[in-house]
Amino acid sequence: MTGRLSPVLIGFAVLVYAFLMGPLIIVIGAALSDTTFLTFPPQGLSLRWFERIFEIGAFRRTMVTSFQVATLATICALIVGIPAAYALNRYRVQLPGWLSTLFVLPVLVPEIVLGFSLLRSIQVGAGFPVFSTLLIGHTLLVLPYCVRVISASLASFDFSIEEAAISLGSPKWKTFFTIVLPNVRSGVIAAFILAFITSINDVSVALFLTGPGISTLPIQILAHVEQFFDPVIASVSVLLMVLTVAVMAVVERTLGLTFLTK
Amino acid sequence: MLKRLSGWAMSAPATALVVVFLILPVGATIAATFAVGGGPLAAYVDYLSSGFRRTVLWRTLEIALLTTLFSVIIGFFTAYVVSRASPRWRSILIIAAVFPLLTGVVVRSFAFLILLGRNGMVNNVLVWLGVEGAPFSMLYTEGAVIVAMVYLFVPLMVLTLVGVLENIPDDVIQAAASLGATPPQIFRQVIFPLAVPGLIVGAVLVFTGSFTAYATPQLVGGENVMVMGTFLHQQAMVTFDWDSASTIAAIMVVVTLAVVLAMTRMARRLNPMAT
């Protein structure tokens, strides 16, 4: 769908994109400032606020926790999500329709309610350790992404290839690993990366599931901002933006970024 | 029969995960609100009897509705431009919308602290322009929360609607044009009605997201602009009143599910392409 657009509309879109990009550019500028307070445009260029991130123990620790939780939660969600996505596509006729709704339920239930309920019933009620509860919360949080992305990959997979392998005598479980999985590899990679970034960025679930010595990076950022207003937060933000760019590059290579408009 | 069994077996772990760690805990939170002494709806009567708590609920609804309205309008026209841009520009514009979407909520809300603060960019520009009364205190107001949330949700709206607008068949537009419709007429009578179901889906995402938001109202609104999300956190983690926190959580779930169900039904009814 291409054609002439009125200059008013184009001007409007330019303003909207300036509005979208502006604040992020300001954060980058503020991170490079040589001052002890947050300011834009930066006064004097320096990278010292990037060094400062790693000097603050709480940032180092929460970064490690965030990476551990994001990696483990994504792996757990893939382990349960890949077979579920496979079943939803392969046995669509045999399975009830509500099953696919069940797997997107974590998107429908407000994240903050999930976080509070896990604290109430699982951490306090059932006595689960803080880290396990956090891991469970993030696994639920990213499960819908895993099921959805891999389902989309499987939708274009020709299941007759799998049947051909089975009829030639390949055991069913072996066929799954040697025929089905390699064919949806790009979907699995994209699901991994989208789930990972979702977990890294999460606030609302982790908000309730941190405990002594266990916290995630976004929660630490929130806590830091409430006490200090120095450029170190801007530097952490820039690090997270670099991560975002890396994620986008991977998604572009696997599914194509236009996948996100579908 | 065997097929059905293997289908169930493969989806069993994910089903168990959702049932045990989502449905049961959230169900328990909601069930607890009916177990409060003094009748089954006592917790809700109590909630609505307090002026402060009523204000928090109305304020949250107001912020969510305004955020949705602005995001839908801004997102629709922007998506229209993106969908009609040349392929090269279209991919650049899509990338430029995906980037903020994948950048975390905390980072993007924090950007507004720098932007709207007393020594922030907006105030510096206003002072420089010699505006009367500048610098203003813009942070910790409802307006600041709405602007920051619109900023948060416009990329989501744009990406949802670009997909919808691109799915409108060219034939339909060409048919309208060949029958003598002017571009504004095509926009109003063909493109817009066909985009309505997508607009509703996007609006639902924005409404539920802003109604249940925590990080943005916390950073940009603070204690002054208490909303359901920040109120829930305060009740649960600061005053440790878990009965009250459960009631807030239950209200959030009910409002969210009601809006999702009502609007998806409406989107299906209003779809002119449906047979």
Side-chain angles (χ1 to χ4, degrees), chain B residues 88-173:
Chain B
R88 202 184 126 78
W89 268 105
R90 190 165 50 216
S91 39
I92 293 172
L93 292 174
I94 286 174
I95 288 170
V98 171
F99 179 65
L101 190 72
L102 291 180
T103 305
V105 179
V106 174
V107 172
R108 287 190 288 158
S109 309
F110 167 70
F112 272 81
L113 282 183
I114 312 180
L115 205 62
L116 297 179
R118 252 183 178 273
N119 299 309
M121 257 258 293
V122 175
N123 265 325
N124 285 346
V125 171
L126 291 178
V127 171
W128 183 73
L129 287 172
V131 174
E132 194 81 20
F136 301 103
S137 39
M138 286 177 285
L139 278 178
Y140 313 121
T141 60
E142 238 178 88
V145 176
I146 294 171
V147 173
M149 293 235 258
V150 169
Y151 172 72
L152 220 58
F153 287 110
V154 162
L156 183 68
M157 205 68 210
V158 171
L159 291 174
T160 309
L161 289 173
V162 167
V164 172
L165 290 171
E166 278 178 348
N167 280 337
I168 296 177
D170 262 344
D171 310 0
V172 182
I173 294 161

Side-chain angles (χ1 to χ4, degrees), chain A residues 154-223:
Chain A
L154 280 167
S156 56
F157 172 69
D158 185 358
F159 281 103
S160 60
I161 304 173
E162 186 197 15
E163 269 159 31
I166 293 170
S167 71
L168 289 170
S170 164
K172 207 163 184 310
W173 60 270
K174 199 180 159 194
T175 317
F176 180 78
F177 286 103
T178 54
I179 306 290
V180 183
L181 218 46
N183 270 292
V184 294
R185 205 184 64 200
S186 64
V188 175
I189 296 169
F192 187 97
I193 216 83
L194 285 174
F196 186 85
I197 194 90
T198 305
S199 167
I200 283 277
N201 284 331
D202 166 73
V203 175
S204 297
V205 174
L207 192 59
F208 298 93
L209 306 176
T210 54
I214 299 174
S215 188
T216 65
L217 186 57
I219 303 295
Q220 170 59 25
I221 294 177
L222 278 179

Side-chain angles (χ1 to χ4, degrees), chain B residues 1-242:
Chain B
M1 191 60 214
L2 198 67
K3 275 188 162 183
R4 191 163 174 171
L5 217 64
S6 24
W8 276 112
M10 293 191 86
S11 40
T15 309
L17 183 77
V18 175
V19 170
V20 174
F21 293 114
L22 182 102
I23 295 179
L24 290 181
V26 173
T29 301
I30 295 171
T33 63
F34 297 110
V36 180
L41 291 174
Y44 300 93
V45 173
D46 184 51
Y47 183 93
L48 291 172
S49 70
S50 146
F52 173 75
R53 281 174 281 194
R54 271 202 310 271
T55 311
V56 171
L57 177 59
W58 295 143
R59 182 192 291 135
T60 314
L61 284 169
E62 184 188 307
I63 290 176
L65 280 172
L66 287 172
T67 303
T68 309
L69 184 72
F70 291 133
S71 306
V72 166
I73 295 170
I74 295 173
F76 179 66
F77 288 106
T78 312
Y80 181 68
V81 174
V82 175
S83 71
R84 306 204 70 175
S86 66
R88 202 184 126 78
W89 268 105
R90 190 165 50 216
S91 39
I92 293 172
L93 292 174
I94 286 174
I95 288 170
V98 171
F99 179 65
L101 190 72
L102 291 180
T103 305
V105 179
V106 174
V107 172
R108 287 190 288 158
S109 309
F110 167 70
F112 272 81
L113 282 183
I114 312 180
L115 205 62
L116 297 179
R118 252 183 178 273
N119 299 309
M121 257 258 293
V122 175
N123 265 325
N124 285 346
V125 171
L126 291 178
V127 171
W128 183 73
L129 287 172
V131 174
E132 194 81 20
F136 301 103
S137 39
M138 286 177 285
L139 278 178
Y140 313 121
T141 60
E142 238 178 88
V145 176
I146 294 171
V147 173
M149 293 235 258
V150 169
Y151 172 72
L152 220 58
F153 287 110
V154 162
L156 183 68
M157 205 68 210
V158 171
L159 291 174
T160 309
L161 289 173
V162 167
V164 172
L165 290 171
E166 278 178 348
N167 280 337
I168 296 177
D170 262 344
D171 310 0
V172 182
I173 294 161
Q174 276 160 16
S178 72
L179 290 170
T182 61
Q185 275 178 322
I186 294 177
F187 184 79
R188 269 200 308 274
Q189 296 180 14
V190 180
I191 295 172
F192 183 72
L194 286 172
V196 163
L199 277 173
I200 294 176
V201 171
V204 168
L205 291 176
V206 177
F207 181 84
T208 54
S210 47
F211 185 71
T212 62
Y214 170 79
T216 312
Q218 172 69 20
L219 276 176
V220 183
E223 296 264 306
N224 285 344
V225 192
M226 185 82 83
V227 294
M228 294 300 269
T230 48
F231 191 33
L232 168 56
H233 179 252
Q234 191 231 41
Q235 292 293 301
M237 307 304 272
V238 182
T239 55
F240 293 104
D241 184 347
W242 282 14

Side-chain angles (χ1 to χ4, degrees), chain A residues 7-243:
Chain A
V8 181
L9 272 178
I10 293 175
F12 179 77
V14 169
L15 283 179
V16 171
Y17 273 96
F19 173 61
L20 289 185
M21 289 298 127
L24 297 177
I25 292 166
I26 287 168
V27 171
I28 297 172
L32 295 171
S33 181
D34 198 23
T35 50
T36 52
F37 51 91
L38 274 166
T39 183
F40 186 88
Q43 296 167 11
L45 288 177
S46 112
L47 288 175
R48 68 180 170 118
W49 292 104
F50 286 91
E51 289 164 26
R52 184 88 185 102
I53 302 172
F54 299 97
E55 288 162 21
I56 302 175
F59 278 115
R60 275 204 315 268
R61 276 195 304 275
T62 52
M63 260 184 222
V64 172
T65 311
S66 273
F67 265 82
Q68 282 172 339
V69 172
T71 311
L72 289 173
T74 304
I75 291 172
C76 292
L78 284 174
I79 289 174
V80 300
I82 293 174
Y86 174 84
L88 285 179
N89 280 275
R90 183 77 177 75
Y91 306 109
R92 190 178 302 135
V93 194
Q94 286 85 15
L95 291 172
W98 53 259
L99 201 61
S100 58
T101 315
L102 190 76
F103 300 136
V104 294
L105 214 51
V107 177
L108 289 178
V109 172
E111 286 169 31
I112 194 163
V113 173
L114 173 63
F116 171 63
S117 300
L118 285 173
L119 168 72
R120 202 177 153 276
S121 298
I122 305 300
Q123 191 176 311
V124 175
F128 275 52
V130 177
F131 188 84
S132 318
T133 322
L134 183 60
L135 186 57
I136 290 167
H138 275 210
T139 305
L140 281 167
L141 182 71
V142 303
L143 180 69
Y145 295 88
C146 295
V147 174
R148 199 182 139 235
V149 172
I150 291 162
S151 278
S153 279
L154 280 167
S156 56
F157 172 69
D158 185 358
F159 281 103
S160 60
I161 304 173
E162 186 197 15
E163 269 159 31
I166 293 170
S167 71
L168 289 170
S170 164
K172 207 163 184 310
W173 60 270
K174 199 180 159 194
T175 317
F176 180 78
F177 286 103
T178 54
I179 306 290
V180 183
L181 218 46
N183 270 292
V184 294
R185 205 184 64 200
S186 64
V188 175
I189 296 169
F192 187 97
I193 216 83
L194 285 174
F196 186 85
I197 194 90
T198 305
S199 167
I200 283 277
N201 284 331
D202 166 73
V203 175
S204 297
V205 174
L207 192 59
F208 298 93
L209 306 176
T210 54
I214 299 174
S215 188
T216 65
L217 186 57
I219 303 295
Q220 170 59 25
I221 294 177
L222 278 179
H224 190 92
V225 170
E226 279 175 12
Q227 290 174 46
F228 316 96
F229 205 60
D230 58 19
V232 77
I233 298 297
S235 316
V236 178
S237 302
V238 172
L239 283 190
L240 284 170
M241 283 187 223
V242 172
L243 184 71

